[in-house]
Amino acid sequence: MSKRGRFITLEGGEGVGKSTNVGFVAEWLEAQGLEVVRTREPGGTERGEAIRALLLDPAPQEPLHVDAELLLMFAARAQHLAEKILPALARGAWVVCDRFTDATFAYQGGGRGIAKERIAVLEDFVQQGFAPDLTLLLDMPKEAAKQRLEARLRDRHEQRDRFEQEQADFFQAVRDAYLARAEEDPERFAVIDAQHPLEEVQAQLRKTLSARVTAWR
Ligand code: TMP
């Protein structure tokens, strides 16, 4: 039987360059000869992507209750784990996921103010102890992230989704919650300073990945 693959997540607030770097991480691992499955949350499966559309739709005429938002995140995650993540890991593939449960603690916990004990109940229910092997947290001050988000929305002529419409104090709370989680679990987290030019950020990612892959092999 093949050895179980590793589960690597990328996290960070809006505008920190996560999408570009998810591609970089997946390609770097592939270049080491590993089978890589690249995915994202909320989403990653057909049903999960339908839940994502519900979650991101600004629909101001019908606000989404914070508990409904939280439960939808975990509903999409349950489907994602069963249909995609766990089978891939079991056959020996490595899974690179753009956000996972740390985002729930940061956004629904830090941002929306749901107690982390309540989130942890759902985490245990859905994941039964399962967690990422490595979490790369792309971190930058919220002002820099805001400028980058606005440039992206402008360049791509995109509308703000329901989360992108939040205000500065929400994003500060998200960042603080991410950093607090990283501090609580320094073995699993690598905090990457994402303020630097892309080449420097990717050099930090390469160094972290290379050390972990060597240690795991
Ligand atoms: P994205 O920016 O990575 O495409 O993610 C979509 C949004 O979903 C983003 O604003 C963060 C939010 N989100 C949560 O609020 N909780 C979660 O658990 C996850 C996975 C994402």
Side-chain angles (χ1 to χ4, degrees), residues 33-175:
L34 296 161
E35 184 199 343
V36 179
V37 172
R38 182 183 158 172
T39 189
R40 69 170 178 182
E41 288 212 346
T45 65
E46 212 175 312
R47 288 180 194 282
E49 291 292 326
I51 297 174
R52 178 188 177 91
L54 270 178
L55 280 161
L56 299 193
D57 183 355
Q61 69 285 4
E62 193 187 5
L64 185 59
H65 188 276
V66 289
D67 286 351
E69 178 180 289
L70 174 67
L71 290 163
L72 285 170
M73 291 294 175
F74 275 105
R77 186 161 299 138
Q79 186 68 25
H80 196 198
L81 280 165
E83 189 179 322
K84 195 167 189 179
I85 299 174
L86 296 178
L89 293 174
R91 69 165 191 269
W94 287 41
V95 177
V96 177
C97 191
D98 186 340
R99 298 192 189 281
F100 195 64
T101 309
D102 295 302
T104 314
F105 282 95
Y107 282 78
Q108 282 64 54
R112 303 280 190 234
I114 300 179
K116 59 182 177 192
E117 294 72 20
R118 291 183 72 209
I119 301 175
V121 169
L122 295 174
E123 181 186 31
D124 287 345
F125 180 84
V126 170
Q127 294 168 223
Q128 299 173 53
F130 175 81
D133 295 296
L134 169 65
T135 297
L136 301 160
L137 172 59
L138 298 173
D139 177 63
M140 69 165 71
K142 69 171 191 314
E143 296 74 21
K146 183 168 185 265
Q147 279 180 12
R148 287 170 52 149
L149 170 67
E150 273 165 13
R152 191 195 79 203
L153 293 169
R154 220 176 21 247
D155 292 350
R156 301 198 195 153
H157 306 287
E158 284 175 5
Q159 300 295 320
R160 285 174 193 275
D161 68 35
R162 213 167 50 79
F163 291 100
E164 290 163 349
Q165 290 182 351
E166 289 295 337
Q167 303 303 314
D169 54 348
F170 180 89
F171 295 115
Q172 186 63 51
V174 167
R175 183 182 186 213

